[in-house]
Amino acid sequence: MTSERPEVISYRKTCRASGTGLSHYVLLTRAQRDGSVEMKSLEAQRKLVDGAGKPGAAQNQPAREESQQLTTTSS
Amino acid sequence: MSNLAAKRDMPRANAGDGPVLAPLDIGHEKYIALVEPDTAFWSLVKKNRLADLICDPAFLEMVREHAHEFATEMETLRYGLTPSAVYFNPTERCNLNCTYCYLPEAMRRHGIHMSRDDLFRALETLRDFFHPTMPANDRPQVIFHGSEPLMNRKAIFTAIDHFGEDFVFGIQTNGTLLDDGAIEFLTSRQVSIGLSLDGPLAEITDRTRHTFSGHSVHDRVLKALDSLRGYESYSVICTATSENLEHLTRMVELLHSLEVPTCMLNPVRCTLDGGRRVRPSDLDLAAAYTRALDRSYQLYLETGRKLIVANFANILLAIVAPTARRLMCDISPCGGGRCFFAVDAHGALFPCSEFIGIEGFKGGNIFSGDLQHCFDTSAFRSVTQRGVEMIEPCEHCAFRHFCGAPCPAEAHELAGDSLHRGAFCGFYQEQARYAMRLIADGREEAYLWDGWDDDTHTTFDLNIADRKG
């Protein structure tokens, strides 16, 4: 990958600073904070999902199988 | 203008009014970094082009042209923000006795709960305090923190319902009291939730996190995590100690498999003795941490789903978009007392919850009308004025604005004075090097959450500048 990279790489982006996290807690997305994204409750999300009733299941079946193995091992 | 005059005005690196550019080994096979420490400007250049670049007038002129803009941006980020969040301890009590906790054990065992009436009074005061300074369409955050906030569940749930229009609420919990009813209450009100888990297996977690009688809580936290699957706003803190270092990679695998959206792999804070007893070496920590980051990248490639390691993502942001930081520990002054502050269960005000229990950092009491005054106290100003330039050897370090010499509370308790660097200097350096290696390889987006730059705009891009030239 690096062989195709530029000889010099440099960029910088900016925005209104609004970080409030610390090492004990973090909220990453600004949208969740200012209400521009309306999050659904777990109950509402589960009604949207077929089958297992949990949102990740339909999109990521392989990960779910892996998860069950790990969770079982852990408990 | 004569050629001679033109040459005299030509910027020279590290001389006169030319940019100060420090070459930094980032451990990459092909690239080396050039950093202007004061403005956090950075560039990565192929090693065989370093001499050409540092003598290239066009490059130096570009850097000089942007120097004021970058310096102003850093000045605003470091000294120009106003508080928009409060970490609120509604109780002193905790049902766990984690070995490294930064709060005194007597407080966690025998402390008080804040009453419902006092909690409401405090939140009314905070609402009035934040109102004049918050941007339109933005609400201040109140994060219920601990000790264990769910020990005072009835009061905080009543407050979340009563003040739901005034604040964005979050809660950091050990997860042991997060039953189905609590999860439904919090998720239906869009409260952000942070949990803590230190290992992929009970035998690992139990080394540092357990009840006062030594009982394991690992499985209860796993159950809560499984119940939260699919919620958009929760995260897990894994505290990296000498007890779990070799399991960080497995921890990443577990959290990814549980579809946890965000985690933090935080070095243990060495504020109290308990933390110091499980302090890993910088070298061991950096090696385990970067292996875990490597694994998070592999899992993303394999599944298309990211597990964001937020404390590392924040270091990446410190480099590519300093103002987009979400965590305010790795900037100096840190966010304590200027972006957020903490209220304890008695109403006492501290710059950050890390200082709760350290009497000298108490800046007043929210019930005594001290809220505005606290920002002018020496307790707060010793934190809000703590710049890396005041700390040896940070004042000479080119990474100083990518790390911020955290944490003042830790430094104060370790060295007797917060004008020292905290623990893990070598680890923070390695984090920045690792981040720059990713940028050199064009892999940084894989470590940042989708849409991280939606609200940003580009102020510098060397490729664009090249095309214009």
Side-chain angles (χ1 to χ4, degrees), chain B residues 112-190:
Chain B
I112 62 155
H113 292 323
M114 183 179 277
S115 71
R116 179 243 185 231
D117 288 349
D118 281 349
L119 179 57
F120 272 50
R121 269 205 302 147
L123 291 175
E124 284 163 5
T125 301
L126 289 167
R127 180 179 59 196
D128 296 342
F129 168 76
F130 283 120
H131 180 71
T133 56
M134 289 300 294
N137 302 319
D138 209 351
R139 284 177 289 164
Q141 293 179 75
V142 170
I143 299 102
F144 289 118
H145 211 275
S147 298
E148 173 47 49
L150 287 175
M151 298 282 281
N152 197 6
R153 169 173 166 160
K154 189 173 179 184
I156 65 172
F157 281 14
T158 307
I160 288 169
D161 268 345
H162 189 82
F163 291 94
E165 298 295 316
D166 300 308
F167 300 107
V168 173
F169 284 105
I171 185 169
Q172 182 67 37
T173 168
N174 61 34
T176 59
L177 303 175
L178 206 54
D179 56 26
D180 289 345
I183 287 174
E184 181 52 32
F185 178 91
L186 295 169
T187 62
S188 65
R189 288 155 181 80
Q190 302 172 4

Side-chain angles (χ1 to χ4, degrees), chain A residues 7-71:
Chain A
E7 291 199 329
V8 182
I9 303 165
S10 182
Y11 67 91
R12 180 145 155 164
K13 299 185 179 195
T14 194
C15 61
R16 178 175 69 83
S18 63
T20 54
L22 44 67
S23 59
H24 312 153
Y25 175 86
V26 64
L27 178 59
L28 285 184
T29 58
R30 192 197 305 263
Q32 288 169 359
R33 175 176 163 180
D34 65 17
S36 61
V37 169
E38 185 177 347
M39 293 186 295
K40 298 178 181 66
S41 73
L42 267 181
E43 192 60 33
Q45 289 189 69
R46 284 170 181 162
K47 286 177 183 170
L48 294 173
V49 178
D50 296 330
K54 290 184 179 178
Q59 299 119 346
N60 279 301
Q61 194 59 39
R64 170 57 58 91
E65 288 164 3
E66 178 193 6
S67 155
Q68 287 172 338
Q69 288 170 1
L70 271 169
T71 307

Side-chain angles (χ1 to χ4, degrees), chain A residues 1-35 37-43 45-46 54-57 60 63-64 66-68 70-71 73-75, chain B residues 31 39-46 49 73 84 87 102 138 141 143 145 168 172 188 190 192 200 219 222 226-227 229-230 233 237 250 257 259 266 305 320-321 323 325-329 340 353-354 439-441 444 453 455-457 459-460 462:
Chain A
M1 186 185 285
T2 50
S3 62
E4 300 168 11
R5 302 284 291 155
E7 291 199 329
V8 182
I9 303 165
S10 182
Y11 67 91
R12 180 145 155 164
K13 299 185 179 195
T14 194
C15 61
R16 178 175 69 83
S18 63
T20 54
L22 44 67
S23 59
H24 312 153
Y25 175 86
V26 64
L27 178 59
L28 285 184
T29 58
R30 192 197 305 263
Q32 288 169 359
R33 175 176 163 180
D34 65 17
V37 169
E38 185 177 347
M39 293 186 295
K40 298 178 181 66
S41 73
L42 267 181
E43 192 60 33
Q45 289 189 69
R46 284 170 181 162
K54 290 184 179 178
N60 279 301
R64 170 57 58 91
E66 178 193 6
S67 155
Q68 287 172 338
L70 271 169
T71 307
T73 307
S74 305
S75 53
Chain B
Y31 285 90
T39 64
F41 168 83
W42 61 273
S43 56
L44 303 175
V45 54
K46 288 190 174 169
R49 289 271 291 120
E73 182 184 42
S84 59
Y87 288 82
Y102 58 90
D138 209 351
Q141 293 179 75
I143 299 102
H145 211 275
V168 173
Q172 182 67 37
S188 65
Q190 302 172 4
S192 293
D219 291 347
L222 272 190
D226 199 44
S227 298
R229 197 190 294 256
S233 188
I237 293 176
R250 188 85 196 282
S257 72
E259 299 169 20
N266 287 332
R305 182 164 44 78
V320 303
T323 50
R325 280 175 166 88
R326 308 312 303 148
L327 290 162
M328 298 302 284
C329 291
F340 53 78
S353 49
E354 193 76 29
I439 297 167
D441 291 339
E444 65 269 33
D453 58 349
D455 297 328
T456 69
H457 66 273
T459 54
F460 189 87
L462 192 56

